[in-house]
Amino acid sequence: MKKVISLILMGCGGVGRQLLQHIVSCRPLHAKQGIHLRVVGVSDSKSFVVAPDVSTMELADNSLLQLCRIKSDGSSLHTLAASGQVEVFTDSESTKKIIDVAALLGKSTGLALVDCSASSETIPLLTQAVDLGCCIVMANKKPLTSTMEDYDKLISHPRHIRHESTVGAGLPVISSLHRILSSGDPVCRIIGSLSGTLGYVMSEVEDGKPISEVVRSAKTLGYTEPDPRDDLSGMDVARKALILARLLGWRINLDDIKIECLYPKEMAPGVMSVEEFLGTGLLLLDKDIKERVSKASLSGNVLRYVCVIEASRCEVGIQELAKDSPLGRLRGSDNVLEIYSRCYNDQPLVIQGAGAGNDTTAAGVLADIIDIQDLFP
């Protein structure tokens, strides 16, 4: 008997669009596995496209691919309304309609809300959906790094939530930690490079290149956000560290994490434009980073931007590490995570691989959706 997983996708940026393309291209594989992913709605920050009757209908594959093209072109989802095959809701109507669909399907056929946005505005929707019996799958880090109240609500039914792609894209970080913790093996230390951008930057400056040149190069290669300070602030790594710390049972917030920002407050987005930062601001960072690289090198060490979670310490920033350690050997934009526990004490569990990219992240999200199939009738 075929297992049908109904879902709503929130967020159709790079990861969301890639996920829809994966869903369509994997139809033959999923049919062999006896699974059908029924996409009943897709939303962005302004609109919600939904099947006219979510109980019996779904968004056709050609509509999903057309939606991807429309978003890639920067156009509005409202243009899909002309096809007559879908209904389109906007602004506050979108939120109300998503909740209506969640109420209808959550406790009958089941429904997965898949959050591939980068917004905190999905949090009220997700917390309501939990009460309506829905499953939650996330690539978006913000809901899990909100208040402890929101976090507790989201994880109140642990079997109903998957969020592998919030840390390390498609790497099996969350599932590995769950397995270790479920076995009663206490985790005493986690250290990792969890930003593909900062991993690339630190391994390049190790070769003697100025950080100004490396950041500009990373931007050209598409490794950074449009404003590289979004990466250099360390906030993305801090959110990932918070998700891992909370998984270990730490009841802390973002404010409790010590974060090393790689630029001074005089170069903050509200003070200096992106153009100024890339033009003159970055050059002012070269001297300090070069001196730190040289100092580490004298001790046979290298610099890496990492998160450290141990004892009562949770912090992110530049650390000196042994050149022959898994983190010291890191090159390019890969992620590396070392987990130390009673069983993994002298030799930590090391997870390494591509930790960024729309394709990798979307693949992780798709695997999470398939993983909840047993919760659907």
Side-chain angles (χ1 to χ4, degrees):
M1 186 175 165
K2 187 182 286 186
K3 183 81 70 171
V4 178
I5 303 174
S6 301
L7 66 96
I8 288 174
L9 170 65
M10 298 188 295
C12 36
V15 173
R17 294 197 300 273
Q18 193 71 56
L19 174 62
L20 292 178
Q21 287 164 9
H22 277 330
I23 288 172
V24 173
S25 66
C26 287
R27 290 292 189 208
L29 170 66
H30 292 154
K32 281 183 188 174
Q33 296 172 337
I35 299 167
H36 178 71
L37 299 188
R38 194 173 79 95
V39 184
V40 297
V42 177
S43 73
D44 63 9
S45 59
K46 297 188 179 113
S47 309
F48 178 46
V49 176
V50 62
D53 179 359
V54 293
S55 297
T56 60
M57 300 171 72
E58 63 189 283
L59 298 179
D61 286 354
N62 62 343
S63 294
L64 296 178
L65 296 176
Q66 186 186 358
L67 184 152
C68 290
R69 288 191 294 271
I70 287 169
K71 288 298 294 182
S72 294
D73 293 342
S75 302
S76 166
L77 290 182
H78 233 285
T79 55
L80 279 168
S83 70
Q85 299 177 324
V86 302
E87 292 181 350
V88 183
F89 296 84
T90 55
D91 301 324
S92 59
E93 285 187 345
S94 295
T95 305
K96 184 179 181 304
K97 184 63 179 178
I98 293 172
I99 291 298
D100 287 347
V101 175
L104 179 66
L105 300 182
K107 289 178 178 169
S108 55
T109 63
L111 179 71
L113 277 191
V114 182
D115 187 356
C116 288
S117 73
S119 170
S120 54
E121 291 181 10
T122 60
I123 297 171
L125 261 175
L126 295 173
T127 53
Q128 283 186 72
V130 168
D131 287 334
L132 294 170
C134 297
C135 293
I136 308 294
V137 176
M138 283 181 283
N140 183 7
K141 292 177 277 294
K142 289 183 178 170
L144 290 173
T145 55
S146 179
T147 63
M148 280 306 306
E149 183 184 0
D150 288 334
Y151 181 82
D152 289 341
K153 169 62 78 173
L154 289 170
I155 65 157
S156 57
H157 302 288
R159 284 177 48 75
H160 288 232
I161 182 170
R162 297 290 186 280
H163 58 97
E164 191 67 77
S165 293
T166 56
V167 180
L171 294 176
V173 172
I174 305 297
S175 55
S176 298
L177 260 178
H178 271 310
R179 287 177 67 85
I180 292 171
L181 295 169
S182 298
S183 74
D185 184 11
V187 173
C188 56
R189 184 172 194 252
I190 294 174
I191 180 168
S193 176
L194 295 175
S195 163
T197 305
L198 292 175
Y200 171 82
V201 168
M202 299 316 295
S203 63
E204 289 291 298
V205 297
E206 180 191 332
D207 293 338
K209 296 174 186 171
I211 193 170
S212 56
E213 178 189 319
V214 174
V215 170
R216 289 192 200 105
S217 170
K219 187 173 190 300
T220 304
L221 290 167
Y223 288 166
T224 74
E225 296 294 329
D227 185 343
R229 287 170 294 187
D230 291 347
D231 301 291
L232 299 175
S233 70
M235 186 54 72
D236 184 62
V237 179
R239 288 189 186 279
K240 293 174 182 178
L242 179 58
I243 290 169
L244 295 178
R246 284 178 167 180
L247 204 60
L248 299 184
W250 294 29
R251 297 188 67 78
I252 62 171
N253 295 306
L254 268 178
D255 292 347
D256 300 311
I257 299 176
K258 184 181 174 187
I259 305 169
E260 179 182 359
C261 180
L262 295 188
Y263 58 85
K265 59 179 182 290
E266 294 80 19
M267 296 184 196
V271 181
M272 186 180 276
S273 70
V274 183
E275 293 72 27
E276 282 179 293
F277 179 71
L278 290 169
T280 57
L282 270 174
L283 292 168
L284 300 174
L285 307 180
D286 286 341
K287 183 170 178 286
D288 176 59
I289 294 294
K290 185 179 179 183
E291 286 173 356
R292 291 174 74 173
V293 169
S294 300
K295 180 173 173 288
S297 182
L298 289 173
S299 310
N301 294 332
V302 293
L303 299 182
R304 294 290 180 261
Y305 194 98
V306 297
C307 74
V308 180
I309 304 165
E310 66 177 337
S312 58
R313 177 167 71 123
C314 184
E315 59 187 49
V316 302
I318 294 177
Q319 300 255 341
E320 266 193 47
L321 298 164
K323 198 167 189 172
D324 62 351
S325 66
L327 280 158
R329 291 192 297 269
L330 177 66
R331 303 297 299 174
S333 60
D334 275 6
N335 281 190
V336 176
L337 194 76
E338 299 176 22
I339 301 173
Y340 295 80
S341 68
R342 187 186 65 236
C343 296
Y344 297 98
N345 190 9
D346 297 329
Q347 291 294 327
L349 175 65
V350 178
I351 303 168
Q352 177 170 0
N358 295 337
D359 192 15
T360 312
T361 305
V365 175
L366 181 55
D368 272 352
I369 296 169
I370 298 299
D371 197 43
I372 57 172
Q373 61 179 287
D374 290 344
L375 298 171
F376 286 76

